[in-house]
């Protein structure tokens, strides 16, 4: 899912990025007698992870999955609201499902996720084919609403919870390579970045019981998985205490004074097994601590890679964005990463071009920050105003679209240059690579990643899930090529 990517029509590469890539079930596991669920997901990895929880909930009700919406009894679309384009994609898919429903009146169509939360009953009014609307914290209600819809009553639940983490639900892994899996460790977001719709669609931040996280990681390892990515909008603010998080409800016998922060959590997961790689996303520059960096250094199996979105390289713009750090603070965090983990540690970013009132000089500060940090790659977007956000209320979206696109293109070009430069530094070096399977582009090549999250393509015939040493011989801005040692 990584690479050089951008939110720009002319590049048509958007599908590769986590916030807009689509994710359709490819597994046909429903038996003849089972009712069939078709689910597709848009947006971030958290949404994909939620679809695995949703599938698990419906599996208990006797559903199996199908890869074709035409044959489904229930079609679910798990949606994203992060940019206007993401919502447009969903509207187009609903149009497609409308065609299916014309032929098969029995099928139930449900909208889940962030767009469901943002638009609520408006979705039922605007999209007549929709039978049920469920927000991210209401998935336990799905069986009830599906049943109701099958009896002819449309249903909606967009209640946002302060406690729900689905900790007890064991996700059904969808489209998995059997090697790497996501684990949600928290939900919601308490930051109020002025451009961002997430706090409104996902609600208050809450952390999941660390013991249930460790159990899930152990279970994945036992099933042959070799890499877990711990997910949250702001993983560094992970905080769980037995007392606060209602020990009684979870029926744990732990010491009530126990408090687990993010550094403690990655250590707990790293200890599951030295052969289980641990990754995490997303780190917020205001919250990432030296303690986390030292814990990463201490455990070989915690990967040397940090996704640390800057959004902008200019302090005035960062203030308008309400990111609560400035350029100097951000640079200080990058210096800490380089000092503690060295220059081989992968760093990536998200950047927004053309935020409200951004001047040409301020845009150049973003380019110069990129030159300073030398990101391995970035997810790059132009600003898209979202209704209800602080920025929509307070600032004018005054940068013309052509200017936004031009600035974005400059950011993309800069990143492409730097990615190539960074990848060239790896030529001649040897890396431990976790094998993920065969390369998408050619079946006779294998694909894996090194600790810094770089994709390495090499020739050979080794089982997926194994660790091999690969010497890098060549590269593009997005990929390393190498040979088995
Ligand atoms: N929690 C993560 C980001 C989640 S959203 C963090 O704080 O870094 C993923 C990315 O989408 C953001 O980092 C931002 O770069 C981009 N994004 C969010 N809202 C946007 C908007 N209104 N317009 C353009 N890009 C946006
Ligand atoms: Fe949005 Fe900011 Fe929260 Fe990330 S940290 S999800 S950008 S509000
Ligand atoms: Fe999109 Fe919601 Fe994720 S808005 S990016 S699916 S949290």
């Amino acid at each position: 899912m990584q690479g050089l990517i951008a939110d720009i029509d002319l590049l048509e590469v958007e599908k590769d990025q986590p916030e807009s890539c689509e994710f359709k079930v490819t597994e046909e596991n429903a038996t003849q007698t089972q009712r069939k669920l078709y689910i597709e997901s848009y947006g971030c990895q958290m949404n994909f992870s939620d679809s695995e929880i949703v599938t698990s909930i419906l599996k208990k009700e006797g559903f199996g999955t199908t890869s074709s919406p035409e044959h489904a009894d229930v079609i679910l679309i798990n949606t994203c609201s992060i940019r206007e384009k993401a919502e447009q994609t969903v509207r187009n898919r609903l149009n497609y499902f409308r065609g299916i429903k014309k032929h098969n009146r029995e099928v139930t169509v449900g909208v889940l996720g962030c767009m469901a939360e943002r638009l609520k009953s408006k979705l039922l009014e605007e999209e007549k084919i929709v039978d049920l609307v469920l927000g991210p914290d209401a998935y336990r209600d799905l069986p009830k609403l599906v049943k109701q819809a099958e009896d002819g009553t449309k249903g909606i639940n967009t209640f946002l919870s302060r406690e729900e983490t689905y900790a007890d639900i064991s996700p059904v892994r969808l489209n998995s390579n059997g090697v790497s899996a996501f684990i949600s460790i928290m939900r919601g977001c308490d930051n109020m970045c002025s451009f961002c719709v997430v706090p409104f669609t996902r609600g208050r931040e809450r952390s999941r019981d660390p013991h249930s996280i460790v159990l899930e990681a152990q279970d994945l390892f036992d099933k042959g998985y070799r890499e877990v990515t711990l997910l949250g909008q702001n993983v560094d603010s992970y905080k769980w205490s037995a007392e606060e998080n209602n020990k009684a409800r979870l029926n744990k016998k732990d010491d009530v004074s126990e408090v687990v922060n993010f550094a403690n959590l990655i250590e707990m997961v790293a200890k599951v097994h030295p052969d289980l790689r641990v990754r995490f996303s997303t780190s917020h520059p205001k919250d990432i601590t030296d303690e986390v960096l030292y814990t990463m250094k201490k455990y070989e199996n915690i990967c040397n890679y940090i996704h640390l979105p800057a959004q902008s390289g200019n302090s005035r713009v960062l203030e308008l964005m309400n990111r609560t750090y400035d350029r100097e603070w951000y640079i200080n965090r990058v210096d800490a990463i380089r000092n503690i983990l060295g220059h081989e540690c992968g760093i990536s970013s998200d950047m927004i071009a053309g935020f409200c009132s951004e001047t040409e000089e301020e845009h150049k500060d973003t380019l110069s920050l990129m030159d300073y940090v030398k990101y391995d790659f970035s997810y790059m977007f132009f600003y898209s105003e979202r209704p209800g956000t602080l920025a929509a209320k307070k600032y004018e979206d005054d940068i013309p679209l052509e200017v936004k696109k031009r600035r974005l293109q400059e950011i993309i070009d800069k990143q492409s240059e730097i990615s190539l430069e960074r990848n060239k530094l790896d030529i001649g070096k040897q890396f431990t690579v976790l094998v993920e399977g065969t390369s998408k582009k050619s079946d006779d090549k294998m694909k894996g990643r090194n600790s810094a999250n770089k994709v390495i393509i090499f020739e050979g015939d080794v089982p997926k899930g194994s660790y091999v040493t690969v010497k890098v011989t060549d590269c593009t801005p997005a990929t390393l090529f190498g040979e088995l040692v």
Side-chain angles (χ1 to χ4, degrees):
M1 250 182 285
Q2 270 80 30
L4 285 172
I5 22 229
D7 192 0
I8 190 164
D9 293 336
L10 62 247
L11 284 177
E12 275 307 322
V13 279
E14 230 205 2
K15 283 206 179 87
D16 283 339
Q17 64 177 320
E19 289 77 24
S20 61
C21 97
E22 48 187 79
F23 176 94
K24 291 175 188 161
V25 171
T26 53
E27 216 165 32
E28 194 80 42
N29 76 8
T31 58
Q32 287 284 328
T33 53
Q34 270 187 319
R35 285 192 294 160
K36 294 187 178 72
L37 163 70
Y38 173 83
I39 182 163
E40 71 182 40
S41 319
Y42 295 84
C44 59
Q45 290 159 339
M46 301 221 54
N47 237 24
F48 299 168
S49 164
D50 279 4
S51 289
E52 299 186 327
I53 287 167
V54 165
T55 305
S56 171
I57 292 173
L58 283 184
K59 192 178 160 200
K60 281 213 181 77
E61 302 295 309
F63 278 87
T65 56
T66 172
S67 59
S68 100
E70 286 78 9
H71 298 133
D73 298 294
V74 173
I75 295 177
L76 297 177
I77 177 162
N78 196 357
T79 61
C80 174
S81 287
I82 201 83
R83 286 169 290 276
E84 204 182 330
K85 204 174 160 195
E87 292 202 355
Q88 197 47 53
T89 311
V90 169
R91 300 270 188 188
N92 295 344
R93 286 305 284 168
L94 286 173
N95 263 336
Y96 178 74
F97 297 147
R98 186 168 295 124
I100 295 177
K101 204 164 178 171
K102 262 192 198 150
H103 288 101
N104 169 12
R105 291 183 175 280
E106 301 294 306
V107 64
T108 299
V109 176
V111 178
L112 315 177
C114 291
M115 219 174 141
E117 190 63 50
R118 192 179 86 74
L119 295 167
K120 302 188 168 62
S121 59
K122 254 207 220 152
L123 258 178
L124 290 176
E125 289 155 26
E126 290 170 9
E127 304 281 353
K128 297 284 180 243
I129 61 148
V130 175
D131 301 302
L132 54 97
V133 171
L134 274 179
D137 287 344
Y139 297 146
R140 287 182 200 267
D141 234 10
L142 194 55
K144 191 181 94 194
L145 266 73
V146 166
K147 202 165 182 329
Q148 215 175 288
E150 284 169 349
D151 295 339
T153 314
K154 295 191 178 215
I156 176 164
N157 185 348
T158 52
F159 175 74
L160 283 174
S161 159
R162 274 173 176 264
E163 288 105 34
E164 181 64 271
T165 59
Y166 302 110
D168 57 319
I169 295 181
S170 166
V172 171
R173 305 290 162 186
L174 298 170
N175 293 11
S176 162
N177 60 8
V179 177
S180 28
F182 298 122
I183 302 182
S184 281
I185 62 161
M186 55 207 295
R187 299 181 69 84
C189 183
D190 278 355
N191 296 317
M192 271 288 175
C193 302
S194 62
F195 52 79
C196 186
V197 78
V198 174
F200 304 96
T201 62
R202 293 256 160 185
R204 296 304 296 270
E205 185 179 291
R206 67 221 95 121
S207 298
R208 176 178 165 190
D209 180 350
H211 306 89
S212 75
I213 295 169
V214 170
L215 282 177
E216 192 172 329
Q218 180 69 58
D219 181 53
L220 284 163
F221 184 79
D222 294 343
K223 289 185 172 135
Y225 286 83
R226 290 296 174 263
E227 183 177 89
V228 293
T229 303
L230 309 180
L231 293 180
Q233 293 298 351
N234 179 8
V235 290
D236 298 281
S237 69
Y238 176 92
K239 190 167 173 237
W240 186 88
S241 82
E243 198 172 22
E244 258 176 58
N245 293 64
N246 197 348
K247 180 172 170 273
R249 186 169 53 91
L250 292 158
N251 219 359
K252 286 268 150 36
K253 294 187 191 74
D254 317 300
D255 176 2
V256 265
S257 63
E258 184 188 3
V259 175
V260 179
N261 68 15
F262 186 59
N264 309 142
L265 179 72
I266 49 175
E267 177 155 36
M268 287 165 76
V269 180
K271 281 181 175 163
V272 165
H273 199 283
D275 283 344
L276 183 70
R277 277 187 171 177
V278 184
R279 298 187 184 280
F280 49 85
S281 187
T282 299
S283 297
H284 196 296
K286 84 172 153 65
D287 293 316
I288 190 165
T289 58
D290 289 355
E291 189 191 0
V292 166
L293 302 178
Y294 283 115
T295 309
M296 290 173 74
K297 190 182 163 85
K298 186 167 156 199
Y299 290 89
E300 186 70 23
N301 58 330
I302 304 181
C303 290
N304 258 338
Y305 162 67
I306 299 172
H307 183 51
L308 194 71
Q311 315 295 359
S312 164
N314 176 269
S315 295
R316 187 191 73 94
V317 175
L318 286 169
E319 193 175 344
L320 290 184
M321 287 177 164
N322 204 22
R323 287 291 285 182
T324 66
Y325 55 84
D326 59 12
R327 181 183 171 100
E328 284 62 43
W329 174 277
Y330 187 89
I331 285 178
N332 166 287
R333 292 293 75 207
V334 170
D335 291 346
I337 294 169
R338 297 283 182 230
N339 288 336
I340 296 168
L341 295 168
H343 283 258
E344 274 189 16
C345 180
I347 305 181
S348 59
S349 184
D350 293 349
M351 292 295 188
I352 299 179
F355 188 63
C356 311
S357 79
E358 182 191 66
T359 66
E360 223 39 58
E361 281 307 304
E362 290 166 341
H363 160 62
K364 292 213 170 84
D365 286 343
T366 297
L367 298 175
S368 75
L369 181 71
M370 295 172 77
D371 270 328
Y372 181 86
V373 181
K374 305 263 183 238
Y375 295 109
D376 294 275
F377 60 89
S378 294
Y379 302 106
M380 300 158 284
F381 317 98
F382 60 74
Y383 174 58
S384 162
E385 185 178 84
R386 307 311 293 132
T389 55
L390 290 180
K393 287 184 192 149
K394 276 167 60 182
Y395 314 122
E396 196 191 335
D397 180 13
D398 57 355
I399 309 297
L401 187 60
E402 318 83 75
V403 177
K404 285 181 182 172
K405 285 193 172 178
R406 196 251 307 142
R407 288 182 190 169
L408 175 58
Q409 190 59 59
E410 288 173 12
I411 291 174
I412 292 165
D413 292 345
K414 169 70 69 191
Q415 184 57 57
S416 187
E417 216 176 89
I418 296 172
S419 294
L420 185 61
E421 185 187 321
R422 285 281 292 172
N423 282 353
K424 277 184 175 163
L425 291 176
D426 290 338
I427 293 180
K429 287 186 191 158
Q430 297 188 4
F431 293 103
T432 303
V433 170
L434 173 60
V435 182
E436 289 174 15
T438 50
S439 152
K440 247 194 238 158
K441 284 188 186 145
S442 73
D443 267 352
D444 60 334
K445 300 232 166 73
M446 308 289 304
K447 176 191 161 209
R449 273 168 220 271
N450 70 3
S451 173
N453 209 26
K454 289 194 183 176
V455 174
I456 305 189
I457 308 288
F458 57 95
E459 259 171 63
D461 188 15
V462 276
K464 65 178 187 178
S466 57
Y467 288 98
V468 292
T469 306
V470 178
K471 183 177 174 188
V472 176
T473 52
D474 199 4
C475 71
T476 66
T479 317
L480 300 176
F481 300 92
E483 53 200 31
L484 279 174
V485 176

